[in-house]
Amino acid sequence: MQKNGWLLLIFLLLPHVAIAQTGNCEAALAEAYLDAGNVRARILNNGGLFWRGSPHVYEVPKGSGLHANWAAGIWVGGMINNSLRVAASRYGPWEFWAGPLDEAGNPPSDCKPYDQIWEIRTEDIQTFIDGNGISNNLKNWPWQLGAPIVDGDGNPDNYNLEGGDLPELFGDQRLWWIMNDRGNVHQATDSDPIGLEVHASAHAFDHPGFISNTTFYSYRLINKNTAPFEHAFFGFFKDFDLGNFDDDYVGSDSLLHLSYGYNGDNDDEGGEGYGTAPPAIGFTFLDAESAPPDNIDNDRDGEIDEEDEKIGAYGMLFYHGGGAVSGDPTTGRDYYRYMQSHWKDNKPLYKGYMGYDWGEFSDTFPTETTRFSYSGDPTTKDFWTEFNVNGNGLAHAPANRRSVFSSGPYTIASFDTVEVRLAIVWSRGKDNLDSVAELKKDVKSIRDFSDSFYSPRTYDKTRGNEITPSFTLGFDQNFPNPFTQSTTLRYSLPQAMQVRLAVYDMLGREVAILVDAQQEAGAYTAAFDAGDLPAGIYLARIDLDFLRFTKRMVLLR
């Protein structure tokens, strides 16, 4: 019998084993808008964000008609049985499809029923607990697909609203969708599929200040391959187009796990531009997964393999348009190497010029390798920034910019899960460079409170079933308001902070200091007695380290 015949006979005699197949899913078309705060973002369920053909939507401030991002999307790559598998794209064809994978790793025979983005908002839950009905958002929350819930009836395997179960709401609006990378052929990377099921989420806060200018994302990666997914990286692709598309710079800050874009001068010209004092936009990986002992300083705190070290940013690579070795990726290996901060020919990223040794700079080209492009401080023109690419003040011409920001490496065992979290932060200062400085301050604040931004909202029966914020940076309106003699102010701290709470009249005169102390994390109340103060409007102002909030109080006599 010939060799192929023996192989066929052996296969027929073996116990039947289900082999995962690539499906015939059509491209996912569902979209929704994340708009609870000061950002309006177009969310897609195909692995991309903000753009899938006109229009591109990452509008900040909301309603301004100005957009801070053209396109973004996720890249994932790693090894299955020493074979490279990648799911990635820049502008399509997309390599994620709607729906889950079954226990054998197969996609749905028809992905269309899953081609949705589900939504939950604060008002959906508030309306329900007030006894005013069940919204479609609440009724249709896809808990059976894995959309997270807060268990209220002691049974984690059901979704019983009357028993106290509720969707897990982060912020004031949360979008949730489910994808897989086996739904069809990988045309962008020409790679075999990984066998990933992805539970994706985006949320935003209706909150004063920089929190309203921030959007949050999480991607739960589930390996439904029978082999572990090893040496895996998660990449976040960005084509910035910060207002006007052709006058941008990029940078990174490894200590803040930050990749960012900013304007190359102080005038973002044109009809799509922000004008003078243009903003900056940043992307930061937030703590989620603990790192295994790997001799890598994953959280970039100066310690290696300490207890509960978190996996953060691995690198940021700015690459060029076109087909050169430092140009647009076209194969799965290109995408994977870019996530590792290597060029297509596997040369490392060098700290200097454009990060690649082209030869013409051979006499002066630095030999130091890095994983973060343009990691200097542009506010001081430090080397290495686009203002100073060689240490002697040589600057690049601002232009269109794109890059990939990566996290990892991960090992995901068969049917195991990792979660990747990130935030997109928009900040505006007095000029283009001050916007970078403000961005870094805001990102530090986001990172300081990282866990709180991913804490679900609850409701407080003692306050009339009032929805309580999952994260409070300020303080509640005084109660009662108006008041005749005394009133109470409530506030909470997610971590230890210096707190000063004072009351002022409308002329700005301080009439009372209620708190002036360092306080630990927790909930607090402060009583204000008006004494002999005349009737009128008073301002209660709380200062929390880097934040300040004010409430108007009405005193009646």
Side-chain angles (χ1 to χ4, degrees):
M1 185 179 290
Q2 293 183 349
K3 179 179 179 182
N4 287 345
W6 282 111
L7 291 175
L8 177 62
L9 178 61
I10 292 170
F11 175 79
L12 293 174
L13 292 175
L14 287 172
H16 176 67
V17 177
I19 300 175
Q21 302 293 319
T22 299
N24 295 298
C25 292
E26 297 180 4
L29 297 177
E31 62 181 61
Y33 285 86
L34 188 67
D35 59 5
N38 195 36
V39 179
R40 184 172 182 264
R42 187 186 185 195
I43 304 299
L44 311 171
N45 69 336
N46 58 10
L49 291 170
F50 317 140
W51 180 89
R52 188 185 51 214
S54 184
H56 66 285
V57 181
Y58 196 86
E59 184 186 40
V60 201
K62 183 172 64 180
S64 67
L66 301 173
H67 300 268
N69 227 319
W70 175 272
I74 65 171
W75 299 357
V76 185
M79 298 293 178
I80 299 283
N81 291 327
N82 294 317
S83 171
L84 178 62
R85 309 290 182 89
V86 179
S89 181
R90 294 175 295 121
Y91 310 102
W94 313 104
E95 296 191 341
F96 288 94
W97 292 266
L101 299 176
D102 64 20
E103 292 307 301
N106 293 306
S109 57
D110 181 7
C111 288
K112 287 182 180 178
Y114 307 100
D115 191 8
Q116 301 182 56
I117 297 177
W118 289 268
E119 178 183 30
I120 195 72
R121 291 179 181 259
T122 305
E123 49 264 38
D124 294 312
I125 297 178
Q126 188 69 65
T127 297
F128 170 68
I129 65 176
D130 285 344
N132 295 322
I134 302 174
S135 69
N136 287 333
N137 285 347
L138 205 59
K139 184 187 305 180
N140 298 327
W141 188 247
W143 67 277
Q144 70 278 10
L145 295 177
I149 63 172
V150 176
D151 181 25
D153 65 356
N155 180 359
D157 298 321
N158 70 352
Y159 178 53
N160 179 10
L161 289 168
E162 298 300 333
D165 292 345
L166 288 171
E168 184 185 70
L169 173 61
F170 296 158
D172 293 288
Q173 178 197 14
R174 185 178 189 182
L175 303 176
W176 189 91
W177 63 103
I178 185 169
M179 306 181 290
N180 72 84
D181 87 310
R182 278 196 180 273
N184 212 313
V185 175
H186 289 208
Q187 297 182 43
T189 61
D190 193 26
S191 167
D192 288 336
I194 301 164
L196 276 185
E197 178 176 305
V198 181
H199 296 187
S201 173
H203 66 278
F205 291 80
D206 180 14
H207 195 288
F210 66 88
I211 304 302
S212 187
N213 296 329
T214 302
T215 54
F216 298 85
Y217 305 82
S218 67
Y219 295 90
R220 189 174 296 274
L221 311 179
I222 306 171
N223 176 21
K224 289 199 171 179
N225 200 299
T226 55
F229 186 37
E230 300 176 303
H231 310 292
F233 288 86
F234 178 95
F236 197 72
F237 159 74
K238 298 105 57 191
D239 186 339
F240 287 97
D241 290 11
L242 180 57
N244 179 23
F245 77 95
D246 66 351
D247 60 355
D248 294 339
Y249 277 162
V250 293
S252 65
D253 187 323
S254 63
L255 297 180
L256 288 174
H257 301 257
L258 171 66
S259 168
Y260 60 92
Y262 61 106
N263 215 66
D265 58 31
N266 199 37
D267 181 19
D268 189 31
E269 65 275 6
E272 295 184 343
Y274 278 94
T276 57
I281 188 166
F283 305 76
T284 181
F285 283 112
L286 302 175
D287 292 345
E289 293 293 326
S290 295
D294 55 9
N295 202 36
I296 297 174
D297 183 11
N298 292 280
D299 57 7
R300 322 200 78 78
D301 65 351
E303 296 185 54
I304 294 175
D305 293 342
E306 71 270 22
E307 184 177 356
D308 199 28
E309 182 181 27
K310 300 296 185 182
I311 296 179
Y314 180 85
M316 188 281 273
L317 183 82
F318 158 67
Y319 64 88
H320 321 286
V325 293
S326 58
D328 292 317
T330 58
T331 69
R333 188 162 297 278
D334 293 344
Y335 283 94
Y336 186 61
R337 285 176 173 169
Y338 277 11
M339 285 185 275
Q340 296 175 302
S341 289
H342 279 210
W343 299 109
K344 293 183 192 179
D345 59 2
N346 211 27
K347 282 187 178 181
L349 175 67
Y350 286 95
K351 187 175 181 179
Y353 294 98
M354 290 187 175
Y356 186 85
D357 185 359
W358 288 99
E360 63 263 38
F361 303 120
S362 58
D363 293 337
T364 59
F365 196 87
T367 58
E368 181 182 353
T369 61
T370 182
R371 298 201 301 263
F372 291 86
S373 295
Y374 305 118
S375 53
D377 185 352
T379 65
T380 59
K381 306 294 194 302
D382 286 348
F383 174 75
W384 178 40
T385 72
E386 294 212 62
F387 283 113
N388 184 3
V389 299
N390 66 345
N392 294 313
L394 178 66
H396 287 322
N400 191 16
R401 291 291 187 260
R402 64 200 69 173
S403 65
V404 62
F405 189 36
S406 61
S407 179
Y410 298 95
T411 295
I412 314 177
S414 178
F415 288 90
D416 204 355
T417 299
V418 301
E419 183 179 7
V420 181
R421 295 174 175 175
L422 62 111
I424 302 178
V425 187
W426 181 96
S427 304
R428 194 167 195 172
K430 297 186 292 293
D431 56 42
N432 61 319
L433 295 183
D434 189 51
S435 291
V436 173
E438 289 298 311
L439 173 69
K440 291 188 176 186
K441 291 178 186 177
D442 293 345
V443 167
K444 183 180 185 307
S445 300
I446 295 289
R447 297 190 57 78
D448 285 345
F449 299 117
S450 175
D451 288 344
S452 298
F453 289 119
Y454 286 85
S455 298
R457 282 183 177 261
T458 57
Y459 65 94
D460 187 348
K461 293 182 179 180
T462 66
R463 303 191 69 195
N465 282 342
E466 177 184 326
I467 291 282
T468 58
S470 55
F471 178 71
T472 302
L473 281 173
F475 65 118
D476 296 342
Q477 185 65 52
N478 62 302
F479 183 83
N481 190 47
F483 65 102
T484 57
Q485 183 60 43
S486 63
T487 188
T488 299
L489 293 151
R490 296 162 56 108
Y491 61 96
S492 62
L493 307 177
Q495 67 178 36
M497 304 179 84
Q498 181 67 33
V499 178
R500 191 175 194 277
L501 176 57
V503 178
Y504 299 83
D505 65 19
M506 292 303 291
L507 297 178
R509 296 174 297 197
E510 188 174 270
V511 299
I513 300 175
L514 307 183
V515 180
D516 191 1
Q518 178 77 12
Q519 294 185 319
E520 298 301 314
Y524 295 87
T525 61
F528 171 57
D529 189 305
D532 297 329
L533 290 172
I537 297 175
Y538 292 84
L539 302 177
R541 192 181 82 188
I542 191 168
D543 292 272
L544 306 172
D545 282 354
F546 48 81
L547 300 168
R548 173 179 294 172
F549 298 100
T550 302
K551 297 292 184 183
R552 292 165 64 92
M553 307 187 298
V554 180
L555 173 61
L556 303 177
R557 291 298 193 189

